[in-house]
Amino acid sequence: MDAVNLLGFDLPGLAAYCEQLGEKKFRATQLFRWIHQKGASDFEQMSDLAKSLREKLAGRALIRGLDVISEHVSADGTIKWLFDVGAGNAVEAVFIPEDDRGTLCISSQAGCAVGCRFCSTGHQGFSRNLTTAEIVAQLWFAEHNLRQRQNTDERVISNVVMMGMGEPLQNYDQLVPALRTMLDDHGYGLSRRRVTVSTSGVVPMIDRLREDCPVALAVSLHAPTDPLRDQLVPLNKKYPIAELLDACNRYLEKAPRDFITFEYCMLQEVNDAPEQARELVKLLKHRVNCKVNLIPFNPFPASGLVRSTNARVQAFAVVLVQAGIVTTVRKTRGDDIDAACGQLAGEVQDRTRAHIRMVRAPVTVAKST
Ligand code: SAH
Ligand code: SF4
């Protein structure tokens, strides 16, 4: 039988596993702390763990991270890792250091089935869901690697955002134990406000997350109207904007923050006109307590799309701000190493020919004038 990877258990899961081995539950807490707080991967290291348990674990279980294919360090300190997840697939994680925090952006799937027009992960099609162990392994590796580099025992990563490759809410069952490990005081001890799930809008799963593990929520909106959003985020045909906004309001009842972040990728002459900013105001104002994060599009050749000019981004932002909507423009970080989320186009094998479908169906914009 294959050895069990303990990175795949949240604390209750590990406790149940220890019980199966005939061990007391509190042993699981010790073990969990060794794994996540100390970064141990070898049972022999775990000096305060009963020898009998260490012997039981050896052979049955292991603590296995992902193999690193490459690491790129940007001039601004951003670090991007590419991890091997087997069968020609790779996923990325990006560490973004800032003065008051360290944010890790991690992946939830190899590829993505949603197929957003402006997203290079979407253009690759879907390969497979990551397991809980593979999701957690990105944080486990990054946290302990960074501590070593910085020669510290203190926590380096203070925030985690599920904004790498994949749609986290289409991998719900593997996602939730990973989130719980991030939040657990015996694990990474991150507050709910500092763990963000970003979604293209899987409405039923937003409702489940609210009940199971309400963390900060970011919703990828990208368009003020259904016809345009249908083209940019195909999932909109299934869960249109009105339903999505209702789900956001239900989420707010349990959310750790009193707002939802709406992400809006700025695409020149597609969704970035002042008129569209006014439509966005109409849509959001008095309807959902929110902030808007404008993301300058990160171009990639197959997209056929262009990043909005700074002037257009600013003009768009001004309309929102004047209407009283808190708006930020995302700084582009790690530009020199392509560290933007979803930028590892060539690395996952396209098993679905998604890019051909997308190139054949260009975005058409109904001009409002
Ligand atoms: N699937 C989830 C999370 C991963 S994508 C989601 O869609 O929300 C994380 C964010 O990066 C999303 O807001 C997404 O719209 C944005 N994004 C994807 N491709 C991009 C690109 N080429 N340029 C800028 N932002 C992009
Ligand atoms: Fe998937 Fe998010 Fe990319 Fe859309 S933007 S294709 S949902 S990863």
Side-chain angles (χ1 to χ4, degrees), residues 118-119 162-164 166-167 198-199 220 222 263 265 297-298 343:
F118 49 84
C119 174
M162 301 297 310
M163 292 188 186
E167 169 48 56
S198 175
T199 180
S220 295
H222 308 308
E263 294 163 282
C265 178
F297 170 57
N298 243 292
Q343 284 297 293

Side-chain angles (χ1 to χ4, degrees), residues 208-324:
R208 282 187 63 188
L209 190 68
R210 179 194 64 204
E211 298 307 318
D212 294 340
C213 193
V215 293
L217 187 68
V219 171
S220 295
L221 193 58
H222 308 308
T225 61
D226 282 320
L228 182 57
R229 194 165 189 271
D230 283 348
Q231 293 183 64
L232 296 176
V233 185
L235 193 66
N236 194 66
K237 293 179 200 144
K238 197 158 178 198
Y239 306 113
I241 293 174
E243 284 179 32
L244 179 56
L245 298 187
D246 287 346
C248 288
N249 277 324
R250 291 193 295 274
Y251 195 85
L252 279 171
E253 292 163 16
K254 299 263 177 82
R257 292 179 179 274
D258 60 2
F259 61 89
I260 303 282
T261 303
F262 288 113
E263 294 163 282
Y264 197 102
C265 178
M266 297 295 287
L267 302 162
Q268 178 89 359
E269 309 265 332
V270 172
N271 64 356
D272 68 344
E275 175 55 29
Q276 288 163 317
R278 286 189 283 276
E279 284 178 310
L280 190 60
V281 169
K282 250 188 273 165
L283 184 69
L284 299 178
K285 195 94 209 267
H286 308 303
R287 179 104 172 261
V288 188
N289 212 2
C290 66
K291 292 186 181 177
V292 172
N293 189 207
L294 302 177
I295 315 170
F297 170 57
N298 243 292
F300 57 99
S303 71
L305 298 164
V306 177
R307 177 191 287 193
S308 300
T309 60
N310 287 345
R312 283 178 79 89
V313 175
Q314 285 311 319
F316 196 93
V318 164
V319 174
L320 302 182
V321 170
Q322 282 178 349

